[in-house]
Structures are given as C-alpha cells and as structure tokens.
Amino acid sequence: MVVRDEDFQAFSEFEKNTWARLTEHYVSLSGRITQQASTVALDAIGVGSGMMLLDVACGPGYVAAEATKRGAKSIGIDFSADMVDVAREQFPDIRFEVGDAQQLAFTDKSFDSIICSFGLLHLPRPGLALREASRVLRSGGRYAFTVWSIPQQTDFFGIIGQVIQTYSEPTQTTSNLPGMFMLSDPWVSSALMDSAGFQDVTIAQIPIYFEPTSTADVIEFLYKSTMRPAEAFKQMAPGRRSEAENALRDGAKKAMASGGGRIACPALLVTGASP
C-alpha cells in the first residue's frame, strides 16, 4: 500500500468533518471515559504549580482544567473549532485556541509540560506532532500522550472489532485510513518518541472503564462517539448491520455481566522528557 499526500489530506478532512458531528455528544459520552486518564497523565509528568502546560487536542479542556486546579498556567489547542467553543464555554478562564498539533504556533521551548490525551490517533502524521511537542518543550520538560490499548487487551474495542470483522462485507472499504490502534503498539510508540528526540521514555497501561446503563448505551456510543468503527457499521447492508448491532449488544451484555456492569477499555500512557 502506498500512502500519498492526498491520503493524509483525506484522513484529516474525515476527522474534521466527523468531529463537527460528534462534538455535541462528547461531554456526555466519550468525555466520561477519556477524562479518567487526565489525573494519571498529569501525575505521571509531575504537573504542578507555576508550570506552563500545553493541552494538545484538548477537546472540552479537561486536562487543561485539571492542570489549572494544580496551579499550572494552561493553554489548550484543538483542530476542531466546535470543540474549542465547548472548552471555552466550560472553562472561560482558560485560554483555548484552534490549532494544529502538527504545526504548533508557539516558539521553541515555551512549555514545561505537554499532554495529548487520546489525540494522536486522530492525526494523519502523529510523528510530526511529537516532533513539534519536543520543539516547544523546555529542556527537561515532560511530555505524555494516551491512546487506547490494543483490542486484545480491551473488552470494549475488542467486542466492536470482532463484530466488524464478522459482519463486514468483503467489498467494504475505509480507503487508506490509518489503523486506529497503530500507536497502541509499544514498539511503534517508542520508535516515534525516540525519533522525536525524547529521552527516558516510559509506557504503562492504565485502567479505564465504560459504565453503560444498558446495551443500548453501547450502540449509542458506537454511532455518536466513534469514527472508524461507526463508519464500518454504516457501510454494512441494512440487514447485515442489524445483525451486527445485535451481536454487539450480546457481547456488551456478557462483558457487563463479567465486569460488574463495567466494560474495560484500558489505555496506554506514554511519557518522555525533552533533552
């Protein structure tokens, strides 16, 4: 497979267009899950009073808000203007801007800490985002990003992935979209961190849970809070899609029963230091 410039652009447009649709549901759905990683990431890189922190792919601003509570001066950026509007509305005392993680509009060595919470998997060139983060970090500054763990270690995405694999038509295509779990491979993440110049790279798995009230919540989450999985379901023929949704409900029901009502969706936390 050859990845061309138009493929990078197509993925970027796919992400931006989809976020324009998903933003209104983020706080009530995805945000309840992703927010669980905020404190862990801030603790991992020692964010505290008097530090300058950049929240990349800030979404509704949870990381920036938590850092501000700790006495840090926070700035959040996101490529989605809709998300930036939500962040500004929720946290009007914090600075949020529309910005490109792959081309940060900040001078060299501007920040003590940078966090990208579940943002790199939405970028066509995550390696560029890591290099930019390294550029704007001060010497000794710390960087952290989170991504979902591989489906084999994640009940939630594992169930969805198995259903898609079983019910997708052979003719279905998602074009040249990058794999959702590419950065979930520790070797890939380590290689990109090394290439960006980070030192003392660490990778740890952190527990995160989805707590649906019913299997209907899982279907709602699929269509209102995911991108590539939702696209795969939408490409199925109506009858096939109905079967897939029933299979997803069955899988979710079993996972909820074995997990005490919760479905595990752990994440990888990757950290490194600027030289």
Side-chain angles (χ1 to χ4, degrees), residues 8-29:
F8 290 117
Q9 184 61 35
F11 179 56
S12 180
E13 291 302 315
F14 168 76
E15 286 281 338
K16 290 179 180 178
N17 292 337
T18 307
W19 276 116
R21 175 175 57 83
L22 298 183
T23 295
E24 66 176 302
H25 308 294
Y26 190 94
V27 172
S28 62
L29 293 173

Side-chain angles (χ1 to χ4, degrees), residues 113-136:
S113 305
I114 300 176
I115 292 181
C116 183
S117 181
F118 299 102
L120 288 184
L121 67 161
H122 297 295
L123 302 177
R125 296 178 182 268
L128 292 183
L130 291 176
R131 284 165 51 188
E132 278 291 273
S134 179
R135 177 183 66 80
V136 302

Side-chain angles (χ1 to χ4, degrees), residues 138-188:
R138 292 169 183 157
S139 180
R142 303 288 304 282
Y143 174 79
F145 74 84
T146 50
V147 291
W148 302 112
S149 295
I150 58 175
Q152 293 90 330
Q153 298 173 351
T154 306
D155 290 344
F156 184 59
F157 290 113
I159 295 167
I160 293 175
Q162 183 60 53
V163 170
I164 290 174
Q165 183 176 359
T166 301
Y167 290 93
S168 291
E169 304 287 353
T171 56
Q172 279 186 220
T173 176
T174 54
S175 186
N176 273 0
L177 296 181
M180 180 176 169
F181 299 98
M182 175 180 65
L183 298 176
S184 304
D185 184 336
W187 292 101
V188 173

Side-chain angles (χ1 to χ4, degrees), residues 33-183:
I33 301 176
T34 59
Q35 194 173 2
Q36 296 174 45
S38 298
T39 298
V40 180
L42 289 164
D43 287 344
I45 60 174
V47 174
S49 180
M51 300 177 71
M52 283 289 299
L53 174 124
L54 179 63
D55 181 5
V56 175
C58 64
Y62 296 135
V63 170
E66 181 60 32
T68 300
K69 290 180 183 177
R70 299 179 179 211
K73 183 175 182 180
S74 305
I75 299 174
I77 68 160
D78 200 289
F79 63 40
S80 168
D82 296 310
M83 272 296 189
V84 170
D85 287 341
V86 173
R88 287 171 175 168
E89 182 178 351
Q90 290 203 123
F91 308 107
D93 296 331
I94 300 176
R95 175 182 165 190
F96 294 103
E97 300 177 352
V98 176
D100 184 355
Q102 300 159 129
Q103 191 172 2
L104 295 173
F106 301 101
T107 58
D108 295 358
K109 304 185 185 304
S110 298
F111 296 93
D112 301 298
S113 305
I114 300 176
I115 292 181
C116 183
S117 181
F118 299 102
L120 288 184
L121 67 161
H122 297 295
L123 302 177
R125 296 178 182 268
L128 292 183
L130 291 176
R131 284 165 51 188
E132 278 291 273
S134 179
R135 177 183 66 80
V136 302
L137 266 178
R138 292 169 183 157
S139 180
R142 303 288 304 282
Y143 174 79
F145 74 84
T146 50
V147 291
W148 302 112
S149 295
I150 58 175
Q152 293 90 330
Q153 298 173 351
T154 306
D155 290 344
F156 184 59
F157 290 113
I159 295 167
I160 293 175
Q162 183 60 53
V163 170
I164 290 174
Q165 183 176 359
T166 301
Y167 290 93
S168 291
E169 304 287 353
T171 56
Q172 279 186 220
T173 176
T174 54
S175 186
N176 273 0
L177 296 181
M180 180 176 169
F181 299 98
M182 175 180 65
L183 298 176

